[in-house]
């Protein structure tokens, strides 16, 4: 194998590892955000349930006060009844008292309804609170793992990129420029074998002459179709597979 090809393959292996590390790093932040928003949604669900419970309790309290004021009204009417000597006025007050009593019954019924509602909400709120706790705990754990993974990837990437120039420095300029341009445009394997007589990148079938030139290992040979740098190793079968 030509020395330049050997060096390019080593560089390519390094670049693949760099790209992989970058790819994994790029997924860290979305994953972190997904975990955080899941925990936030669970928290919000719990807070909504608690706020609803508070509202129901305050509604019930209002009804209770209303009923209380009706009871005081009845006491005032009863006192007036006691003081009056007119039958007509007495009857009118008795009617007012009956109306108040009916209102109180209705207010108490509504209070009972709200108490039942509050009980159901309380159960739901407790469940939502437990769920939010569990999700928070799991998310914290996963966020910790994620931070550790990110740290590992960052130091791995620093290591991989750190001495990359030692690899590029050993490669002749023209070949390196060609390689860099291909890597930039294609972003995957750009130094490829001619196994089975086709380009390892774009799979175009090669003319015999090109394979002969490649086997001669004198010049840098590129694919006429995609421009990838081609190489040959003796273990390659150059017969075109059907
Ligand atoms: Zn090709």
């Amino acid at each position: 194998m030509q020395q330049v090809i050997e060096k390019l393959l080593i560089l390519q292996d390094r670049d693949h590892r760099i790209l992989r590390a970058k790819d994994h790093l790029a997924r860290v932040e979305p994953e972190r955000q997904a975990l955080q928003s899941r925990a936030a949604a669970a928290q919000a669900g719990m807070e909504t349930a608690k706020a609803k419970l508070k509202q129901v309790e305050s509604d019930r309290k209002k009804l209770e006060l209303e009923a209380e004021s009706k009871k005081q009204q009845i006491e005032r009417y009863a006192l007036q009844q006691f003081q009056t000597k007119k039958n007509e006025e007495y009857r009118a007050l008795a009617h007012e008292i009956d109306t108040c009593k009916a209102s109180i019954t209705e207010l108490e019924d509504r209070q009972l309804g709200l108490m039942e509602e509050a009980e159901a909400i309380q159960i739901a709120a407790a469940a939502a609170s437990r769920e939010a706790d569990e999700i928070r705990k799991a998310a914290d754990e996963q966020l910790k793992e994620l931070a550790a993974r990110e740290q590992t990837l960052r130091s791995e990437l620093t290591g991989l990129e750190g001495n990359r120039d030692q690899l590029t420095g050993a490669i002749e300029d023209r070949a390196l420029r060609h390689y860099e341009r291909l890597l930039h445009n294609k972003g995957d394997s750009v130094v490829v074998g001619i196994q089975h007589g086709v380009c390892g990148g774009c799979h175009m079938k090669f003319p015999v002459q090109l394979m002969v030139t490649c086997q001669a290992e004198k010049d840098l040979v590129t694919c006429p179709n995609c421009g990838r740098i081609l190489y040959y190793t003796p273990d390659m079968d150059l017969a075109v597979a059907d």
Side-chain angles (χ1 to χ4, degrees):
M1 190 185 279
Q2 288 185 82
Q3 259 203 349
V4 63
I5 293 289
E6 260 175 49
K7 287 174 186 167
L8 282 173
L9 283 172
I10 291 169
L11 178 62
Q12 171 166 273
D13 175 63
R14 171 68 61 99
D15 284 338
H16 280 174
R17 284 156 67 194
I18 288 174
L19 288 173
R20 222 167 22 240
K22 280 182 175 171
D23 184 48
H24 288 161
L25 263 176
R27 289 186 222 157
V28 166
E29 196 48 36
E31 205 175 316
R32 179 178 288 138
Q33 278 172 14
L35 284 169
Q36 283 169 340
S37 64
R38 187 158 178 257
Q43 180 75 16
M46 181 191 75
E47 274 159 20
T48 305
K50 280 187 176 166
K52 206 167 159 197
L53 187 64
K54 233 178 177 174
Q55 183 59 50
V56 168
E57 178 53 29
S58 124
D59 289 349
R60 192 200 60 77
K61 193 81 196 164
K62 265 185 219 155
L63 297 179
E64 189 183 278
L65 290 173
E66 223 177 299
E68 194 52 45
S69 102
K70 294 278 178 200
K71 279 175 193 166
Q72 286 165 7
Q73 189 65 42
I74 290 175
E75 278 172 26
R76 283 195 295 274
Y77 288 145
L79 187 63
Q80 282 172 265
Q81 252 186 341
F82 181 70
Q83 289 164 342
T84 189
K85 293 188 169 56
K86 294 173 195 162
N87 273 342
E88 201 177 312
E89 199 179 329
Y90 186 92
R91 275 196 301 275
L93 286 163
H95 177 69
E96 291 297 337
I97 288 172
D98 285 346
T99 308
C100 279
K101 280 182 179 166
S103 294
I104 289 170
T105 306
E106 193 227 324
L107 287 166
E108 282 172 352
D109 283 349
R110 281 167 63 196
Q111 278 190 75
L112 275 176
L114 287 178
M115 278 159 83
E116 280 167 18
E117 200 181 320
E119 209 175 315
I121 296 172
Q122 203 152 24
I123 291 169
S129 171
R130 277 196 303 275
E131 196 192 346
D133 262 6
E134 277 166 26
I135 289 176
R136 178 81 259 168
K137 263 184 221 153
D140 283 349
E141 200 59 40
Q142 284 165 299
L143 284 168
K144 227 187 280 171
E145 283 167 23
L146 200 59
R149 199 196 313 160
E150 186 180 27
Q151 182 68 38
T152 307
L153 283 168
R154 282 204 192 287
S155 58
E156 190 185 320
L157 187 60
T158 307
L160 288 169
E161 284 178 331
N163 60 355
R164 182 181 180 273
D165 56 1
Q166 282 177 17
L167 301 181
T168 56
I171 300 168
E172 179 248 323
D173 259 5
R174 200 177 57 88
L176 180 64
R177 273 203 308 277
H178 188 68
Y179 167 84
E180 301 267 22
R181 199 167 49 241
L182 280 169
L183 186 74
H184 178 75
N185 293 335
K186 310 216 179 282
D188 57 3
S189 293
V190 296
V191 184
V192 297
I194 56 170
Q195 177 83 306
H196 303 305
V198 300
C199 171
C202 71
H203 306 295
M204 193 192 80
K205 191 179 154 191
F206 291 136
V208 175
Q209 185 52 49
L210 187 135
M211 289 189 277
V212 171
T213 314
C214 199
Q215 277 176 287
E217 299 194 322
K218 289 213 174 70
D219 296 310
L220 210 59
V221 182
T222 58
C223 170
N225 184 48
C226 68
R228 284 184 176 85
I229 299 165
L230 305 175
Y231 71 91
Y232 166 80
T233 51
D235 61 318
M236 284 178 187
D237 175 9
L238 296 186
V240 179
D242 288 327

